[in-house]
Amino acid sequence: MQSTFFLALQHNSSQMETACFSCLDTAETPVKNKKSRHKDWRALFNNILRCTPSPHTATDTHPLTNKAYRPTSDEVNQWAQSFDKLLAHKYGQAAFRIFLKSEYCEENIEFWLACEEYKKIKSPVKLASKAKKIHEEFIWNKALKEINLDYHTKEDIAQNLQQPTATCFNAAQKKVYSLMENNSYPRFLLSEIYQEICTISQGKSKYLKT
């Protein structure tokens, strides 16, 4: 896992989110217990911080630096102000996904992100193709990443797929957003993961290797 992650993060900081998510997608080794699971996430965070170039030190002439990217205390504190602010920050979004993965419910943020990308599609052909893919990956009752939706919402989506529009997943996306905001987000703010990021942002983490 580390080798894939280190290679992915040799590019500029705008690719941080993609690199984080790529690393998460390859981390499918079963975790035996809670303690070892937390150790895995701590190692992943350490890799992120050590290998991601800082956007604050990049220049037009020399866009890459060897200085590790660390969110500032102000940035990390803003994540606790609202769920929107957490998702709007790429590092915060990646950290939240790591937390969801530790709770075995990362399909919620993956579905929400897929819907965000879906709404940007302009081509009717691409829209239909993407709608089918989202349905097969998250909505279908045999989907490997099936999200928790009620029967009526699933039926409405199935009907909308006959003539997909940019809004056909809106109701489901709102339900998943509400679930994350009211359940997962408060637990994230109380989690060891978030608390450690707070200390990392101040340069105090005993797990951070410099």
Side-chain angles (χ1 to χ4, degrees):
M1 182 180 73
Q2 287 189 3
S3 59
T4 301
F5 192 85
F6 274 102
L7 288 173
L9 288 178
Q10 295 305 309
H11 304 291
N12 62 49
S13 59
S14 67
Q15 296 179 350
M16 176 176 63
E17 179 184 23
T18 301
C20 291
F21 287 8
S22 176
C23 182
L24 283 168
D25 290 338
T26 61
E28 298 298 336
T29 303
V31 178
K32 295 182 179 180
N33 54 58
K34 183 177 180 181
K35 184 176 180 180
S36 60
R37 184 165 72 243
H38 283 176
K39 183 178 179 181
D40 287 344
W41 306 141
R42 181 177 293 123
L44 181 53
F45 275 122
N46 190 57
N47 286 344
I48 293 172
L49 295 170
R50 291 176 61 196
C51 300
T52 307
S54 171
H56 304 297
T57 59
T59 65
D60 292 336
T61 305
H62 301 288
L64 302 181
T65 73
N66 291 324
K67 184 178 180 180
Y69 171 67
R70 300 179 194 175
T72 65
S73 294
D74 183 59
E75 288 173 328
V76 174
N77 289 336
Q78 286 182 24
W79 301 352
Q81 293 177 10
S82 75
F83 188 45
D84 282 337
K85 289 185 177 180
L86 173 68
L87 293 184
H89 193 283
K90 286 187 176 182
Y91 190 99
Q93 190 183 109
F96 184 62
R97 180 171 172 182
I98 290 174
F99 170 73
L100 292 183
K101 192 171 184 69
S102 76
E103 294 205 330
Y104 305 104
C105 57
E106 68 270 22
E107 67 275 2
N108 291 326
I109 188 66
E110 290 178 9
F111 171 73
W112 186 85
L113 290 169
C115 289
E116 289 295 286
E117 290 301 314
Y118 173 78
K119 290 185 288 188
K120 298 175 184 178
I121 299 174
K122 303 299 181 182
S123 166
V125 174
K126 292 182 179 179
L127 197 72
S129 176
K130 183 67 172 179
K132 181 181 179 182
K133 182 179 180 181
I134 290 176
H135 183 268
E136 291 177 348
E137 189 172 2
F138 300 105
I139 311 298
W140 187 43
N141 59 8
K142 292 184 180 180
L144 293 178
K145 298 181 180 180
E146 183 183 6
I147 56 175
N148 186 17
L149 293 175
D150 60 87
Y151 172 80
H152 294 294
T153 301
K154 287 189 173 185
E155 283 297 299
D156 288 342
I157 291 174
Q159 292 295 321
N160 290 335
L161 286 179
Q162 297 179 18
Q163 290 184 316
T165 66
T167 61
C168 71
F169 292 106
N170 278 9
Q173 187 184 21
K174 288 179 180 178
K175 289 178 183 292
V176 169
Y177 181 93
S178 179
L179 178 66
M180 293 191 295
E181 182 178 33
N182 295 318
N183 292 282
S184 301
Y185 175 56
R187 292 201 303 274
F188 169 74
L189 296 179
L190 295 174
S191 70
E192 180 183 357
I193 289 175
Y194 178 69
Q195 298 305 316
E196 187 165 316
I197 295 176
C198 289
T199 60
I200 285 172
S201 69
Q202 301 168 15
K204 298 178 181 179
S205 175
K206 63 181 180 181
Y207 300 106
L208 181 62
K209 299 177 181 179
T210 56

